Amino acid sequence: MLTLGCARNEVDSEELAGRLAADGFRLVDDPAEADTVVVNTCGFVEQAKKDSVDTLLEAADLKHDAGGGGRAQAVVAVGCLAERYGKDLADSLPEADAVLGFDDYPDIAARLRSIVAGETHHPHTPSDRRRLLPISPVDRQNGAPAAPTPRARLESGPMAPLKLASGCDRRCTFCAIPRFRGSFVSRRPSDVLTEARWLAGEGVRELFLVSENSTSYGKDLGDLRLLETLLPEVAGIDGVEWVRVSYLQPAEIRPGLIEAMTTTPGVVPYFDLSFQHASPTVLRRMRRFGDPDSFLGLLDRVRGLAPTAGVRSNVIVGFPGETEDDLQTLCDFLVAARLDVTGVFGYSDEDGTEAAGFTDQLDDDEVAERVRHVGDLVEQLNAQRAEERLGEDVVVLVESLEDGVAEGRAAHQGPEVDGTTRLEDAVGLAVGDLVPAVVTATEGVDLVARPRVAAGVVR
């Protein structure tokens, strides 16, 4: 099972792995030792699509029938790219033996057996999955609870993503995710808590709550404040030390949610805020809301309750119609915002989105130049923000130990994309330890810290 893309895809892969293991399949770590290679693709942006196709081609090279030296008989594409393009992907990529959509997931074991046996799988023709839902809160409450989806951990680290919901109800003009992921559907709190307890029993110390829009959690269950009440329950599970929430819409954040995320014991004050831009004009064309003053006010409220809170965001530059003044508004906001990490993406058309039809597209070279300009600025700003943390007391979750060096993340650093913290003295430490430390140096967004021995390690 090879996984590309976001943490939500990681959960999907572990659910697929759980279904397969429950039906007699054995998972192997090396694709060359597999009879079937399943590639969970990402279809979000152009580079992600390319990476997914490249991975499928590399997997196809292992096929025994092609003389690749491996034992693989079949390469199967699943995930967002497969769902988004279905038959078109299958026609353009004959190296993949099958392209499976989301509707194939419940019967994944039977699908793989038939594919390995040489049967032809007819891929789906994609449709707008938003039309399948929403299900009303009354129907959700009165319906019989769905059987829990089995899950098998594919990673052994002390952090694991935990899905809150799937899909999205927003209509951002640049984003195709709702079309192939469907409308927003919250998981029942009981299902979230059951899976959280299972993960804790597997040795997970940090739970990373993921969805396309975590601020919407509960709205389809009739309770928009459900996340505020769920967080203390998740954080109170024995063995769970940290709970982190991802992907928050700035326009939907409520004062009660900020308070819950900054004052609940065990919930780290970490805000993954999807600003996307700061110019009101550009944001309106994106079908989003906000402006520099409202965004900075939100950050002030967060830091008023948790001065050392971690804040990250992504921005899109070169959106159709973006003027030099719009770009300067974004840059001025980023200077004032003091974000820990900012991802900078150049706009590109996505199939089926409203923005793809806008007539005032910027030249590709101009978009690339704006990405370089904002990217250089962000690199400086993020490094400056890291330097502001010199002398700060942090707690570090140890994720790896190698040659006497411990590396992990402080509470303000999210998994994989927000930098790491290296501990200067790793004597006696183990993966999964929570180590009080003081920041002594920075390397870009990465930190170096010295353990505070007297403070004690949490095991």
Side-chain angles (χ1 to χ4, degrees), residues 277 281-282 285-286 316-328 330 345-349 355-374:
H277 211 282
T281 303
V282 174
R285 299 200 78 203
M286 291 178 169
I316 298 173
V317 298
F319 191 77
E322 180 190 65
T323 65
E324 292 285 351
D325 286 344
D326 293 327
L327 189 67
Q328 188 60 50
L330 173 62
F345 297 89
Y347 171 81
S348 62
D349 286 337
F358 289 173
T359 58
D360 48 358
Q361 304 274 347
L362 274 65
D363 181 82
D364 288 347
D365 290 341
E366 177 62 25
V367 173
E369 176 56 36
R370 294 187 182 196
V371 170
R372 283 192 292 272
H373 174 70
V374 179

Side-chain angles (χ1 to χ4, degrees), residues 42-341:
C42 178
F44 182 40
V45 293
E46 201 60 40
Q47 185 59 50
K49 298 175 196 174
K50 182 181 183 302
D51 291 344
S52 294
V53 170
D54 289 346
T55 302
L56 286 163
L57 293 174
E58 290 170 10
D61 287 341
L62 295 170
K63 286 168 61 176
H64 177 71
D65 290 343
R71 59 181 285 172
Q73 298 297 305
V75 172
V76 177
V78 299
C80 292
L81 190 71
E83 174 63 37
R84 185 174 181 183
Y85 293 104
K87 186 177 183 299
D88 288 343
L89 178 63
D91 290 344
S92 62
L93 196 70
E95 292 85 352
D97 296 279
V99 173
L100 304 183
F102 296 151
D103 291 338
D104 291 305
Y105 284 14
D107 300 314
I108 186 67
R111 296 287 188 272
L112 292 197
R113 284 197 172 93
S114 68
I115 293 162
V116 172
E119 298 178 20
T120 299
H121 174 79
H122 297 285
H124 67 287
T125 298
S127 60
D128 189 342
R129 293 186 70 87
R130 292 173 297 185
R131 297 174 182 171
L132 301 178
L133 294 170
I135 301 171
S136 74
V138 172
D139 291 338
R140 294 288 302 280
Q141 291 166 0
N142 294 339
T149 301
R151 180 173 173 181
R153 291 210 72 200
L154 299 177
E155 302 290 341
S156 59
M159 184 283 301
L162 175 59
K163 190 183 294 185
L164 282 175
S166 60
C168 184
D169 287 338
R170 299 185 70 89
R171 295 295 182 265
C172 302
T173 57
F174 57 83
C175 183
I177 287 176
R179 295 180 64 88
F180 59 86
R181 275 290 185 180
S183 296
F184 188 88
V185 180
S186 302
R187 295 182 69 193
R188 295 175 185 269
S190 57
D191 294 339
V192 175
L193 291 168
T194 296
E195 189 167 317
R197 294 187 189 98
W198 176 78
L199 288 168
E202 294 289 307
V204 171
R205 316 286 321 265
E206 176 186 358
L207 294 174
F208 188 34
L209 306 184
V210 299
S211 73
E212 275 75 23
N213 177 9
S214 297
T215 36
S216 282
Y217 179 71
K219 71 176 185 179
D220 54 323
L221 296 174
D223 185 357
L224 192 54
R225 293 178 174 81
L226 196 55
L227 185 56
E228 287 99 301
T229 58
L230 180 66
L231 286 175
E233 294 187 70
V234 177
I237 293 173
D238 189 33
V240 173
E241 299 293 338
W242 280 0
V243 177
R244 185 184 305 274
V245 184
S246 75
Y247 210 83
L248 305 167
Q249 290 287 351
E252 295 182 17
I253 290 188
R254 306 167 294 279
L257 181 57
I258 297 175
E259 184 174 356
M261 292 177 62
T262 53
T263 63
T264 303
V267 177
V268 296
Y270 172 82
F271 289 79
D272 177 10
L273 297 167
S274 176
F275 289 126
Q276 301 299 356
H277 211 282
S279 162
T281 303
V282 174
L283 286 167
R284 281 195 296 273
R285 299 200 78 203
M286 291 178 169
R287 289 197 193 279
R288 298 179 68 86
F289 305 93
D291 53 61
D293 288 342
S294 64
F295 290 164
L296 292 173
L298 171 59
L299 294 174
D300 285 343
R301 290 194 294 277
V302 168
R303 288 165 176 156
L305 290 171
T308 61
V311 185
R312 80 167 325 273
S313 189
N314 295 314
V315 297
I316 298 173
V317 298
F319 191 77
E322 180 190 65
T323 65
E324 292 285 351
D325 286 344
D326 293 327
L327 189 67
Q328 188 60 50
T329 296
L330 173 62
C331 292
D332 291 344
F333 164 72
L334 293 172
V335 171
R338 296 170 49 243
L339 305 179
D340 289 280
V341 175

